[in-house]
Amino acid sequence: METPTNPTLRVVDLRKAAALARRHKLVSLVDSTFGSPVLQKPIELGFDLALHSTTKYLGGHSDLIGGAAIGKRELIAKPPDDHLSRRLMDPEGLIF
């Protein structure tokens, strides 16, 4: 999920969303690009993984491009080796 959302800036209750994911035994992931790690800390609110854009808010001067994945080591150290995961992690969409 993404919160605040782009482009409408709707805000999701992260505690409730994380609890819903846990109840259904799902790994929860939030794109926290607009929230930035200064203003929004999804891991502290119960999420398993958080994505932050280092391009928009951490760099601030358009002088870098990047991102950060925050979460437990076992969730980010070795991604699953399946077709869907490989497609999602290929930014050019070249893996079929």
Side-chain angles (χ1 to χ4, degrees):
M1 71 178 340
E2 177 185 42
T3 185
T5 62
N6 181 12
T8 62
L9 299 178
R10 294 180 74 182
V11 177
V12 174
D13 184 327
L14 292 177
R15 284 189 201 280
K16 287 183 180 178
L20 179 66
R22 272 193 310 279
R23 192 165 42 251
H24 292 280
K25 296 180 171 62
L26 299 172
V27 173
S28 54
L29 177 133
V30 63
D31 178 343
S32 196
T33 295
F34 279 169
S36 94
V38 172
L39 302 173
Q40 183 169 274
K41 296 175 174 52
I43 301 297
E44 292 177 8
L45 298 173
F47 267 76
D48 297 309
L49 297 165
L51 303 177
H52 296 287
S53 169
T54 59
T55 305
K56 291 183 181 176
Y57 293 114
L58 298 181
H61 304 288
S62 299
D63 56 349
L64 59 92
I65 297 175
I70 312 301
K72 293 180 181 175
R73 181 182 305 255
E74 61 267 18
L75 291 175
I76 60 175
K78 185 176 185 293
D81 187 25
D82 61 40
H83 180 73
L84 177 60
S85 297
R86 286 193 304 274
R87 277 302 292 265
L88 291 174
M89 290 184 283
D90 176 21
E92 302 299 325
L94 300 175
I95 298 173
F96 296 97

